[in-house]
Amino acid sequence: MPSREEKLSTIQKIFSGSKGILAADESVPTAGKRLESIGVPSTPETRQKYREIFLTTPGIESYLSGVIFFDETFRQSLNGKSFPKLVEEKGIVPGIKVDKGAVDSLEFPGEKITVGLDGLPARLAEYYALGARFAKWRAVITIGNNIPTDGCLIKNAGILAEYSKNCLDAGIVPIIEPEVLLDGEHSIEKSEAITTKTLRITFNSLKNLNLPLNEVILKTSMVVPGNKSGEPMDPSKIAEATVRCLKNSVPAEVGGIVFLSGGQTPVQATVNLNAISKLKPLPWPTSFSYARALQGDPLKIWQGKDENILAAQAVFLKRLKLNCAANRAQAEQSSYDGNRGEYRGEE
Ligand code: 13P
């Protein structure tokens, strides 16, 4: 019987101080797209090298409490040490993305269903044995003409609940990630309404299975206007809408909430996190769990060249530092330049 204490202690570690999670869990095709964007062919070796930049940056343990891996990366190693072991030795909790992607739904045209429940208990048992203490499952919610439908939201929510149950039975903390995409012409009000509805349906479905919500982490999109809406990204408006949405939909006993960056620029993701932190205290611990907003700039600097690795790592570390500061709401301090999302004197 997996221990409840271990799962609670995993959550405590994840939300320790102002640290956050690196989402280094892009699937092979997505990692390939990232590499191709800098003209590097995608092979197991180049993907390994890309991950190494982040995992071997000196000092990450001061800012990262967790790293989410993908199956391929979870099994890769450096100098005989597996990647999960490498981060675990730095006091960072290894996690694993276990869904097998979002596919077009036949039942709900224009919407997606996330798959991967088949054989999940056996996979989770193996990941646990290899060191994973938390997992992630992403559902994709698109806002458009007459979508999302309640039917598709309920379907994805049921799958998220089933996944969570499997994780908890395996001693693994589930991160549930129903991501409401920012793509589209919708207003911030529409984004708030859809995100609130999505989260309510999701937590109802977890409650229907009687799952202990204090052993579950929510990974959510911030409430932002659609990227084709023409509305500005106003940090205080985004923070107010996000916090109101979460308070209206996420039970207080949930173990914690982390935000994804979802296509925001690295600076926007930091500034908006900071604006949210200014509204603390909240009923749950909160932090960041970014992929693109942490790795995007270092990727561009690296360009696949060894001589650029140190510069890429410096930018990565700086962005981690800024996000931890944002998570402590350090914009209260006069050294914070909200327009640039940067802290003077930290260059
Ligand atoms: P982004 O921060 O790039 O949105 O990625 C986070 C994530 O884990 C998506 O599933």
Side-chain angles (χ1 to χ4, degrees), residues 51-289:
R51 305 301 190 190
E52 277 177 23
I53 294 177
F54 304 105
L55 303 180
T56 66
T57 296
I60 50 170
E61 59 276 15
S62 301
Y63 310 104
L64 285 179
S65 56
V67 173
I68 317 175
F69 292 97
F70 181 68
D71 185 75
E72 179 184 65
T73 332
F74 201 79
R75 298 171 194 282
Q76 286 174 326
S77 56
L78 183 62
N79 302 328
K81 204 174 278 175
S82 75
F83 278 167
K85 194 83 203 147
L86 190 103
V87 300
E88 194 192 299
E89 285 184 6
K90 295 178 197 250
I92 299 171
V93 187
I96 178 81
K97 167 196 172 82
V98 296
D99 68 72
K100 294 200 165 173
V103 300
D104 291 337
S105 166
L106 295 177
E107 199 181 345
F108 306 103
E111 298 183 83
K112 289 190 186 290
I113 297 288
T114 303
V115 296
L117 286 178
D118 282 355
L120 183 58
R123 288 196 287 132
L124 288 168
E126 189 199 3
Y127 288 135
Y128 183 92
L130 293 172
R133 290 296 176 269
F134 70 98
K136 189 193 95 172
W137 183 288
R138 174 174 178 255
V140 179
I141 318 297
T142 306
I143 302 182
N145 278 343
N146 303 319
I147 59 169
T149 59
D150 286 6
C152 195
L153 290 178
I154 291 167
K155 180 109 187 188
N156 271 309
I159 296 170
L160 278 165
E162 192 63 36
Y163 142 82
S164 300
K165 183 175 178 357
N166 286 333
C167 286
L168 293 165
D169 289 348
I172 288 182
V173 170
I175 294 187
I176 52 170
E177 184 188 20
E179 175 176 359
V180 177
L181 298 180
L182 59 67
D183 305 275
E185 295 174 0
H186 51 275
S187 63
I188 189 167
E189 287 77 17
K190 176 104 188 214
S191 166
E192 181 177 347
I194 298 290
T195 310
T196 304
K197 187 184 209 183
T198 301
L199 294 176
R200 281 187 182 158
I201 290 177
T202 300
F203 283 107
N204 272 342
S205 146
L206 266 66
K207 279 185 190 157
N208 286 341
L209 293 190
N210 271 326
L211 301 181
L213 298 184
N214 61 333
E215 295 173 27
V216 172
I217 294 174
L218 168 69
K219 177 160 173 165
T220 184
S221 22
M222 294 178 193
V223 173
V224 296
N227 60 359
K228 296 190 196 91
S229 66
E231 288 182 26
M233 290 282 274
D234 175 341
S236 52
K237 202 167 171 192
I238 289 170
E240 276 162 27
T242 301
V243 167
R244 191 170 47 235
C245 161
L246 296 175
K247 284 186 174 167
N248 281 332
S249 58
V250 183
E253 62 265 39
V254 166
I257 299 178
V258 291
F259 296 100
L260 57 96
S261 61
Q264 298 185 45
T265 66
V267 172
Q268 283 171 339
T270 304
V271 171
N272 291 330
L273 179 70
N274 191 74
I276 291 170
S277 305
K278 285 204 227 167
L279 303 179
K280 288 178 182 176
L282 299 172
W284 334 261
T286 53
S287 191
F288 59 93
S289 173

